[in-house]
Amino acid sequence: MNQELKLKWHSIYGQILFDRKLMAAWKQVEANKGSGGIDYETIETFKADEENKIMGILSELRNRTYKPTPVKRVYIPKKNGKMRPLGIPIIKDRVVQQSVVNVLNPLCEKEIFHKWSCGYRPNLGAERVLQIILWNLETGYNHIYDCDIKGFFDNIPHKKLMKVLAKYIADGTVLDMIWAWLKAGYMSEGKYHETDSGTPQGGLCRASHRPPYADKVTMQRKYKTA
């Protein structure tokens, strides 16, 4: 965990340059539903012309002309009465992000993620967390840390995140693409805002960024009954 890989991952970008890969990513985006971004493209309008849309994305990726669009800033209420900012990417960006996630996730699962890290991972969740807690209690560990990092997604330092990803990814094109997503900025009330830190809650790339970066601050077991 968090050790630089001796054999880093190469040729990730080349693995998404297939219409079937992009179509599979689009179907996942469609299943996730959600609203559109600042270009007014919706799930419904994209689906109505999905084959041409996918071929257009593929052409941009192959010609290296693809550039991410700023996300749309919206707010949803939190339980404490405050508002949580979300960043909604356009459908095209979500398709490209999902295609990259589809390549990176199996690699992360195999070589990076801690066995006790259950957030934002396939087939893991609260039930697995309870199993881990019960196993530790049964083996003599009796201290539980319940903590939350305030504004985690809003405050992830971009350069530090890229350093973590560069420990595993050797594909410069994909690293540049992730950097472009981080720096795409957001639109709010008709005005463009730059992003100096954080990842947009609402974007697909957030799910891949969180576990590798969060593992840097994972607490280790310290206390055991005598």
Side-chain angles (χ1 to χ4, degrees), residues 69-73 85-89 97 153-156 158 161 178 181-186 195 197-207 209:
T69 300
V71 300
K72 179 172 68 175
R73 173 59 59 88
L86 297 182
I88 310 300
Q97 289 178 7
F153 291 111
D154 298 329
N155 295 293
I156 294 178
H158 290 169
L161 172 60
I178 293 173
W181 284 330
L182 293 172
K183 293 299 183 182
Y186 66 91
T195 45
S197 63
T199 62
Q201 296 190 58
L204 290 164
C205 58
R206 165 187 64 107
H209 293 162

Side-chain angles (χ1 to χ4, degrees), residues 63-103:
N63 295 324
R64 306 295 180 103
T65 58
Y66 165 77
K67 292 183 179 180
T69 300
V71 300
K72 179 172 68 175
R73 173 59 59 88
V74 297
Y75 296 88
I76 60 173
K78 299 170 66 174
K79 292 182 179 179
N80 60 8
K82 296 182 179 180
M83 302 298 287
R84 182 189 305 278
L86 297 182
I88 310 300
I90 64 173
I91 304 297
K92 179 174 73 173
D93 287 342
R94 275 141 71 179
V95 171
V96 179
Q97 289 178 7
Q98 184 66 64
S99 67
V100 173
V101 167
N102 289 346
V103 176

Side-chain angles (χ1 to χ4, degrees), residues 8-212:
K8 294 184 181 181
W9 306 328
H10 294 265
S11 303
I12 296 170
Y13 190 76
Q15 296 184 52
I16 69 173
L17 300 181
F18 298 92
D19 56 349
R20 68 179 187 279
K21 297 285 187 71
L22 293 172
M23 182 62 74
W26 150 241
K27 291 303 180 182
Q28 290 173 273
V29 171
E30 181 186 13
N32 289 335
K33 301 180 180 180
S35 61
I38 65 172
D39 64 350
Y40 301 105
E41 181 85 84
T42 65
I43 294 291
E44 293 74 22
T45 60
F46 194 101
K47 182 176 178 59
D49 194 26
E50 61 182 20
E51 291 189 5
N52 287 330
K53 298 285 188 182
I54 291 300
M55 294 308 297
I57 295 174
L58 179 59
S59 177
E60 287 187 30
L61 291 172
R62 286 179 173 174
N63 295 324
R64 306 295 180 103
T65 58
Y66 165 77
K67 292 183 179 180
T69 300
V71 300
K72 179 172 68 175
R73 173 59 59 88
V74 297
Y75 296 88
I76 60 173
K78 299 170 66 174
K79 292 182 179 179
N80 60 8
K82 296 182 179 180
M83 302 298 287
R84 182 189 305 278
L86 297 182
I88 310 300
I90 64 173
I91 304 297
K92 179 174 73 173
D93 287 342
R94 275 141 71 179
V95 171
V96 179
Q97 289 178 7
Q98 184 66 64
S99 67
V100 173
V101 167
N102 289 346
V103 176
L104 290 180
N105 262 357
L107 298 171
C108 291
E109 288 290 334
K110 181 180 179 180
E111 301 189 60
I112 297 179
F113 293 162
H114 193 282
K115 62 181 180 181
W116 290 352
S117 178
C118 298
Y120 303 95
R121 293 176 63 187
N123 304 316
L124 295 175
E127 183 176 346
R128 177 56 181 159
V129 172
L130 288 174
Q131 290 174 349
I132 293 171
I133 291 173
L134 290 174
W135 182 87
N136 278 275
L137 290 174
E138 290 172 356
T139 54
Y141 294 93
N142 60 356
H143 287 71
I144 297 176
Y145 290 92
D146 183 10
C147 60
D148 182 38
I149 301 176
K150 183 178 180 181
F152 178 85
F153 291 111
D154 298 329
N155 295 293
I156 294 178
H158 290 169
K159 289 185 177 180
K160 288 186 178 181
L161 172 60
M162 295 306 298
K163 285 182 179 180
V164 172
L165 295 176
K167 290 181 179 180
Y168 318 121
I169 300 172
D171 190 324
T173 301
V174 168
L175 289 173
D176 289 344
M177 185 182 294
I178 293 173
W179 180 255
W181 284 330
L182 293 172
K183 293 299 183 182
Y186 66 91
M187 295 294 295
S188 179
E189 298 181 346
K191 295 182 180 180
Y192 172 76
H193 301 265
E194 294 182 350
T195 45
D196 297 322
S197 63
T199 62
Q201 296 190 58
L204 290 164
C205 58
R206 165 187 64 107
S208 281
H209 293 162
R210 187 221 173 254

